[in-house]
């Protein structure tokens, strides 16, 4: 956040004496001046959402600059608002989520940080384009944004052109132009004792290696199954076929905010409406009904989607605990082979 704002203020500060009001900001309908003020508005709005723990809408306030504030003064405000958002991100616990409308009506501190960074990067680009300046932010800033709130966008050769393409501001070879776009904060699904937190490509990359994915795990976690699943998530992201709500979720225990396992879908639903689910728990969390609780919630969420008719799970023949989890979650065994059993959960539909 601070790096993005510093690059913005440094670049635009060199031309603060020019006319921003009479110049259109790139492809936007706004002037360069209006766009600069908008950057500050977004930063303080996101800080307000996090600091106020807003749950049902935006905090009811607006930012206005004093009459007569020049361009240099507007940049000072951008710097101050960026500092406030950075402070809000640092001081907000990782499990806190606040209202943001798209796509699942909430975002965590990492999501708000990424949204703030992308607003700064894109609108600095817009102003720079209007004023005829050359601008290319640090690659790590673009990668931070893409791997957190653009999980549906296949990585390109370099992150900055990819971000510009994904937001309708540029072209990429062999990809159709983007005319409408949205970022995508991760989905969370709550149960009585757990929170299922959608795993971003950034977290999947870390989990697939030796990291914790940004979660605090109970002793023994994450286990190998989680790391393998995270690797598959990142491979789907690299291939451009990842759809985040049909990916992996880390199971976080509410009582102590610690991760105890993972659960998720192998891919998007197929043309018949079937989607396969898999899961694992750290050994120290087994025997408490957590897997059953999470599976019921995730399956219910899936079956509530119009594209899903059946949730499928495959389990080894000798894995009796997992078979019991499926039975308690309402699944029925429908097939078997020498190595595994197939279970299904179907939602009756009217008509």
């Amino acid at each position: 956040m601070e790096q993005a704002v510093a690059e913005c203020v440094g670049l635009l500060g060199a031309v603060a004496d020019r006319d921003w009001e009479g110049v259109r900001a790139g492809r936007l309908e706004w002037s360069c001046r209006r766009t600069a003020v908008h950057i500050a508005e977004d930063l303080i709005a996101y800080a307000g959402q996090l600091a106020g723990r807003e749950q049902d809408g935006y905090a009811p306030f607006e930012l206005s600059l004093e009459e007569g504030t020049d361009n240099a003064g507007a940049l000072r405000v951008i710097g101050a608002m960026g500092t406030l958002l950075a402070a809000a991100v640092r001081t907000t616990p990782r499990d806190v989520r606040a209202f943001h409308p798209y796509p699942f009506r909430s975002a965590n501190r990492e999501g708000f940080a990424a949204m703030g960074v992308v607003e700064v990067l894109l609108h600095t680009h817009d102003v720079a384009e209007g004023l005829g300046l050359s601008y290319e932010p640090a690659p790590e800033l673009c990668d931070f944004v893409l791997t957190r709130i653009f999980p549906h966008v296949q990585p390109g050769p370099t992150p900055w052109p990819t971000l510009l393409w994904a937001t309708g501001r540029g072209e990429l070879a062999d990809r159709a132009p983007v005319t409408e776009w949205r970022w995508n904060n991760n989905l969370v699904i709550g149960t009585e004792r757990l929170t299922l937190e959608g795993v971003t490509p950034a977290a999947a990359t870390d989990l697939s290696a030796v990291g914790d994915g940004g979660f605090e795990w109970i002793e023994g976690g994450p286990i190998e199954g989680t790391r393998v699943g995270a690797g598959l998530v990142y491979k789907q992201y690299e291939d451009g076929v990842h759809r985040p709500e049909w990916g992996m979720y880390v199971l976080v225990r509410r009582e102590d905010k610690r991760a105890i396992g993972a659960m998720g879908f192998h891919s998007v639903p197929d043309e018949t409406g079937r989607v396969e689910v898999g899961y694992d728990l750290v050994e120290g969390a087994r025997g408490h009904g957590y897997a059953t609780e999470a599976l019921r919630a995730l399956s219910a969420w899936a079956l509530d989607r119009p594209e899903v008719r059946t949730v499928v799970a495959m389990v080894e023949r000798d894995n009796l605990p997992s078979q019991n989890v499926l039975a308690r979650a309402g699944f029925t065994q429908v097939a078997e082979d020498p190595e595994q059993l197939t279970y299904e959960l179907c939602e009756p539909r009217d008509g």
Side-chain angles (χ1 to χ4, degrees), residues 121-268:
L121 300 188
L122 295 181
H123 290 315
T124 300
H125 163 78
D126 297 332
V127 174
E129 189 173 52
L131 296 174
L133 303 175
S134 177
Y135 170 66
E136 182 169 344
E140 61 268 23
L141 293 177
C142 307
D143 190 63
F144 174 82
V145 166
L146 287 167
T147 57
R148 286 163 176 82
I149 58 172
F150 288 90
H152 52 293
V153 173
Q154 183 178 19
T158 51
W160 178 230
T162 302
L163 181 59
L164 290 178
W165 169 81
T167 56
R169 289 170 167 82
E171 298 180 355
L172 278 184
D174 302 321
R175 299 195 193 185
V178 172
T179 56
E180 295 183 0
W181 63 275
R182 293 277 192 177
W183 53 53
N184 196 314
N185 282 292
N186 65 326
L187 174 64
V188 295
I189 299 172
T191 73
E192 181 181 355
R193 298 179 295 167
L194 303 171
T195 300
L196 283 64
E197 296 192 24
V199 172
T200 65
T205 303
D206 192 46
L207 279 170
S208 66
V210 295
D212 57 17
F215 298 89
E216 182 180 355
W217 291 80
I218 64 172
E219 185 177 355
I223 63 176
E224 184 62 22
T226 295
R227 296 202 185 280
V228 171
L232 294 175
V233 167
Y234 192 77
K235 179 64 167 58
Q236 290 176 343
Y237 169 66
E238 284 188 316
D239 292 343
V241 297
H242 178 52
R243 297 298 174 264
E245 61 267 41
W246 300 109
M248 171 184 281
Y249 297 79
V250 167
L251 313 183
V252 179
R253 194 163 53 192
R254 292 190 183 206
E255 65 178 20
D256 58 4
K257 309 297 190 294
R258 302 184 74 184
I260 62 171
M263 182 173 290
F265 303 103
H266 292 190
S267 64
V268 299

Side-chain angles (χ1 to χ4, degrees), residues 264-321:
F265 303 103
H266 292 190
S267 64
V268 299
D270 67 18
E271 63 278 3
T272 68
R274 291 166 61 89
V275 64
E276 185 176 349
V277 67
Y279 49 88
D280 58 42
L281 284 183
V282 179
E283 185 173 355
R286 296 170 188 171
H288 300 281
Y290 292 130
T292 300
E293 185 175 325
L295 184 57
R296 284 172 177 161
L298 191 59
S299 299
W301 177 87
L303 289 169
D304 197 44
R305 302 289 293 263
E307 64 267 40
V308 175
R309 300 190 66 84
T310 308
V311 180
V312 182
M314 308 291 190
V315 61
E316 294 81 2
R317 296 183 68 94
D318 60 353
N319 191 343
L320 293 179

Side-chain angles (χ1 to χ4, degrees), residues 81 113 162 225 267 294 332-333 344:
M81 300 305 100
T162 302
S267 64
T332 301
Q333 182 186 333
E344 289 184 355

